[in-house]
Amino acid sequence: MSRFFSEKFDSLMPYTPGEQPKDKKYIKLNTNESPFPPSPETLAAAEAELKRLQLYPDPDCSELGRAYADLIGVRAEQVMITNGSDEVLNLAFLAYADEEAPLIMPDITYGFYTSVAEYNRVSYEEIPLKDDFTIDINDYVAAHKTIVIPNPNAPTGIALELEDIEKILASNPDNMVIIDEAYVDFGAESAVSLIDKYENLLVSQTFSKSRSMAGARLGVAIANENVIQDLNTLRYACNPYNVNRVTAALGVAAIKTNSYYENNCRTIAENREYTADRLKEMDFQVIPSKSNFLLAKSDRISGEELYRRLKDEKGILIRHFNKERIKEYNRITIGTREDMDAFLKAVEEVLV
């Protein structure tokens, strides 16, 4: 760090994204990207919008906001379009977490939460998952703190039932509850249906996973109108043109071809179950998942060794975490059936 770097960030530990190596071609099963490209109509919309790059984008992404609101059954005023769902989380932590309302979150979850909390100088507490990696909702009922929970959780893939989310919301009426639904389209139930019932609910969603747009950076905040006004106040103060016009056009076209993406999600879910069954046949312990990935371990090889050997010997990337409770596990993104067959064959060869 330079000698000019503010001391207030001395202890900041930045988030570590998944590997994006460029030394050779890998089968990438490490960053939860979709194995499928955007629909042809989506790509055509982006190409057309490139001709207008001399013009600023609509700061409200009005057309996209209306289209997304119609898609999920809410009002346009209940939607804010963002530069990836990470922007929703950053603004929400800034808006709703402070000394009087510190954050609480699971101890095994999306690593970005702790880094963005520290970035915003917000205190937080990590609540241990149960031994089976499920969330004990009693830890969050009447907690009277700002709550952030991914549903499904990452990297476990385990989803909460909607009735459990509602118990958390109802028991914390004076605190914001942030439900991060980055992976909801692969089998979990969305909390969006509760938006009109609970003013303390904020849902974040993304186009990265289920709509094949991880490289475009497009997210959505869904909440009651007053919460959206809060977030827009902060957004306009720091980044009013947060979504470029090409990405916004991609989003509109993706919604118009939503059935294409729904079919892809169904295929990924099928491949997930296929892969889980095959891993269990090899005596892996596989955590039940409602996401586009699996968390799995084997007593025959350490998590780190399996990760290293697949990368170095087989050209296959999976995600390994050093956190004590999950260091023997690896997170495996679900790709095409061909990707998963190549992964499973490589695992069998490594285990010999």
Side-chain angles (χ1 to χ4, degrees):
M1 299 297 182
S2 78
R3 61 189 177 90
F4 309 105
F5 196 52
S6 174
E7 292 181 359
K8 67 185 178 184
F9 293 122
D10 280 350
S11 62
L12 180 63
M13 294 296 293
Y15 171 68
T16 303
E19 293 175 277
Q20 300 285 357
K22 300 176 178 62
D23 56 325
K24 63 180 181 181
K25 183 175 177 60
Y26 291 89
I27 295 176
K28 284 187 84 275
L29 306 178
N30 67 322
T31 48
N32 298 342
E33 298 148 322
S34 174
F36 303 111
S39 69
E41 295 87 348
T42 307
L43 296 175
E47 184 176 0
E49 199 64 29
L50 286 171
K51 300 173 183 177
R52 306 176 67 197
L53 285 182
Q54 77 276 18
L55 303 175
Y56 281 109
D58 173 5
D60 289 322
C61 291
S62 301
E63 182 182 5
L64 176 54
R66 288 192 298 270
Y68 200 80
D70 289 343
L71 179 70
I72 63 174
V74 301
R75 298 182 294 279
E77 297 79 14
Q78 296 174 310
V79 166
M80 182 181 76
I81 306 299
T82 60
N83 190 332
S85 60
D86 287 346
E87 185 176 31
V88 180
L89 298 169
N90 184 37
L91 293 172
F93 287 15
L94 184 61
Y96 303 116
D98 53 31
E99 292 182 359
E100 295 181 359
L103 280 164
I104 57 172
M105 64 190 75
D107 68 330
I108 298 172
T109 194
Y110 182 25
F112 181 75
Y113 298 156
T114 56
S115 61
V116 77
E118 291 174 6
Y119 175 82
N120 285 307
R121 307 182 78 182
V122 172
S123 63
Y124 62 88
E125 179 184 359
E126 297 175 280
I127 307 295
L129 297 179
K130 295 193 287 187
D131 290 342
D132 63 357
F133 292 155
T134 58
I135 290 172
D136 186 343
I137 67 161
N138 293 318
D139 291 329
Y140 299 88
V141 169
H144 306 302
K145 296 176 181 177
T146 300
I147 296 167
V148 58
I149 297 175
N151 195 45
N153 194 11
T156 67
I158 299 173
L160 285 174
E161 299 293 335
L162 194 60
E163 63 184 32
D164 290 331
I165 293 174
E166 189 162 8
K167 288 176 184 176
I168 294 171
L169 287 162
S171 66
N172 292 280
D174 297 320
N175 293 91
M176 189 60 63
V177 177
I178 305 158
I179 304 297
D180 181 358
E181 294 187 346
Y183 302 99
V184 75
D185 294 324
F186 300 99
E189 188 174 5
S190 175
V192 165
S193 61
L194 302 175
I195 289 295
D196 286 326
K197 188 174 181 180
Y198 296 98
E199 65 177 353
N200 60 326
L201 171 61
L202 170 60
V203 176
S204 67
Q205 295 184 350
T206 180
F207 282 63
S208 293
K209 321 298 182 185
S210 59
R211 292 185 178 84
S212 305
M213 288 174 58
R217 311 310 304 133
L218 186 58
V220 187
I222 308 117
N224 74 68
E225 289 89 335
N226 292 332
V227 170
I228 295 300
Q229 287 177 7
D230 295 344
L231 299 179
N232 268 321
T233 297
L234 295 179
R235 181 175 69 82
Y236 269 87
C238 65
N239 192 15
Y241 295 108
N242 61 329
V243 176
N244 71 76
R245 62 185 316 118
V246 175
T247 294
L250 283 165
V252 172
I255 292 170
K256 290 178 179 177
T257 55
N258 195 53
S259 61
Y260 167 83
Y261 298 101
E262 290 178 332
N263 288 334
N264 288 345
C265 289
R266 282 191 287 270
T267 298
I268 289 168
E270 291 168 1
N271 292 346
R272 179 188 68 212
E273 299 311 309
Y274 166 79
T275 304
D277 290 343
R278 289 284 306 277
L279 286 173
K280 290 173 186 175
E281 291 172 2
M282 289 185 266
D283 296 323
F284 273 77
Q285 179 180 335
V286 183
I287 305 301
S289 174
K290 293 293 186 181
S291 188
N292 69 337
F293 56 79
L294 293 168
L295 192 68
K297 74 170 183 176
S298 171
D299 292 335
R300 298 167 60 185
I301 189 170
S302 74
E304 184 173 6
E305 183 182 355
L306 179 60
Y307 153 73
R308 289 290 178 194
R309 291 187 62 185
L310 287 176
K311 178 182 178 181
D312 297 340
E313 299 174 17
K314 306 296 181 180
I316 297 175
L317 290 174
I318 57 178
R319 186 77 188 264
H320 182 258
F321 299 93
N322 292 321
K323 203 161 191 175
E324 184 64 29
R325 291 188 68 189
I326 55 172
K327 68 179 183 179
E328 296 307 324
Y329 289 82
N330 285 294
R331 192 192 68 194
I332 304 136
T333 301
I334 303 302
T336 64
R337 184 60 64 92
E338 292 74 20
D339 290 337
M340 303 325 295
D341 281 335
F343 161 76
L344 291 163
K345 181 175 185 292
V347 170
E348 288 177 332
E349 292 171 351
V350 166
L351 292 177
V352 171

